[in-house]
Amino acid sequence: AQSVAQPEDQVNVAEGNPLTVKCTYSVSGNPYLFWYVQYPNRGLQFLLKYITGDNLVKGSYGFEAEFNKSQTSFHLKKPSALVSDSALYFCAVRDYGSSNTCKLIFGQGTTLQVKP
Amino acid sequence: NAGVTQTPKFQVLKTGQSMTLQCAQDMNHNSMYWYRQDPGMGLRLIYYSASEGTTDKGEVPNGYNVSRLNKREFSLRLESAAPSQTSVYFCASVRTGNNEQFFGPGTRLTVL
C-alpha cells in the first residue's frame, strides 16, 4: 500500500537560515509526489510536484524539493526562510489505484515555525 | 474565478442532528473530493467523485453520504452526527490529467 511519512511534527528555524521539511514515501511504482502548504484557518495550497524528470523541482514562494529515489525521499527546502513561511506543510503521494482521479495520500503534516 | 467554495464556514450540531456541507467549483474540473482534517492525522479522504454521476468511498466513509449534483457541485451529508465527526472538512477538485488539487477554505464542524 502507498504511504507517506513526515517524521517531524515541528521544524523551527531562524529567519534567513535554510529550511528543510522531510518526507519519505512508499509506493509500488514510480511516485507522483506533492507538497502543499496550509496557512492558519485556510485551505491547502499547492506548492510543487514531482512527476518525472529533474530530481530538483522548483515551486511557489521560492520553495524547492529534491526527489531521491534511492532514499525514497522528497524533502522540501528553501535557501532562506521568511517569518511568513510559518505554516503547516503536507507531503502527499498519488494513490496508484487512481489513474483517472488523482486521489492523494497525505502525510500527517509538519508545522514550520520561522522565528525573527 | 472563485475556485472552490464551501458553505457553511462554521457549524455546531448536537449529536443525532443532520446537515449537508456544500461544495462548488467553477474551474470545470472533473474530479472532486471530500477530506477531513484532524490534528496529527493529516487529511483523510472521505468520498470522491471521479466524474459527474459517479461517487466512491475513500478511507473513512462511515457516517457520511455524498451527492455529485452536477459537474460543479459535490455535497457531503451527515445523517446522524456524532462527536467523532468533529473536524475540519475540506473539499477539493482537480482537472483530469493535471494532478494538482485545488482546495476550498474548509468547514469547521463541532458536534456536541
Side-chain angles (χ1 to χ4, degrees):
Chain A
Q2 285 83 237
S3 65
V4 62
Q6 295 178 243
E8 301 155 317
D9 290 335
Q10 181 157 331
V11 171
N12 298 310
V13 297
E15 188 174 33
N17 282 0
L19 69 87
T20 298
V21 182
K22 295 179 180 178
C23 173
T24 59
Y25 65 88
S26 174
V27 299
S28 55
N30 293 323
Y32 285 23
L33 295 159
F34 305 81
W35 277 101
Y36 285 81
V37 60
Q38 184 182 30
Y39 298 102
N41 301 311
R42 304 285 295 276
L44 276 69
Q45 296 178 33
F46 172 81
L47 275 180
L48 51 80
K49 65 183 177 185
Y50 172 82
I51 305 297
T52 187
D54 289 342
N55 289 342
L56 187 63
V57 180
K58 294 189 183 298
S60 306
Y61 312 123
F63 283 93
E64 57 190 27
E66 186 171 9
F67 171 67
N68 187 316
K69 189 172 184 177
S70 62
Q71 297 186 5
T72 61
S73 67
F74 189 56
H75 300 333
L76 182 70
K77 301 181 179 184
K78 188 173 182 181
S80 179
L82 299 172
V83 172
S84 57
D85 292 331
S86 299
L88 182 58
Y89 290 81
F90 289 99
C91 183
V93 64
R94 194 177 92 169
D95 185 342
Y96 256 69
S98 64
S99 60
N100 65 335
T101 64
C102 190
K103 286 168 55 183
L104 295 179
I105 299 169
F106 286 88
Q108 76 273 25
T110 298
T111 298
L112 174 65
Q113 188 76 37
V114 182
K115 299 188 177 177
Chain B
N1 283 352
V4 180
T5 57
Q6 292 183 235
T7 55
K9 286 186 168 53
F10 302 94
Q11 184 71 46
V12 178
L13 294 177
K14 294 180 179 178
T15 297
Q17 288 185 316
S18 63
M19 78 161 295
T20 299
L21 282 64
Q22 306 287 354
C23 173
Q25 52 88 12
D26 62 359
M27 297 173 283
N28 202 34
H29 288 171
N30 295 315
S31 301
M32 298 184 73
Y33 309 82
W34 276 106
Y35 295 92
R36 60 176 290 172
Q37 182 182 21
D38 302 292
M41 301 189 73
L43 276 75
R44 292 181 292 169
L45 184 64
I46 305 171
Y47 270 94
Y48 67 100
S49 171
S51 60
E52 185 179 353
T54 68
T55 62
D56 285 287
K57 295 179 180 179
E59 180 185 356
V60 288
N62 291 345
Y64 305 95
N65 284 301
V66 290
S67 295
R68 182 75 182 267
L69 305 171
N70 47 55
K71 192 171 187 179
R72 290 187 65 248
E73 298 172 287
F74 188 39
S75 62
L76 178 72
R77 183 160 177 84
L78 286 70
E79 291 291 353
S80 178
S84 61
Q85 294 177 305
T86 293
S87 188
V88 182
Y89 292 85
F90 288 100
C91 178
S93 69
V94 65
R95 179 170 56 85
T96 301
N98 179 274
N99 293 298
E100 177 187 336
Q101 291 195 13
F102 289 81
F103 283 80
T107 294
R108 189 174 295 272
L109 175 67
T110 300
V111 183
L112 302 175

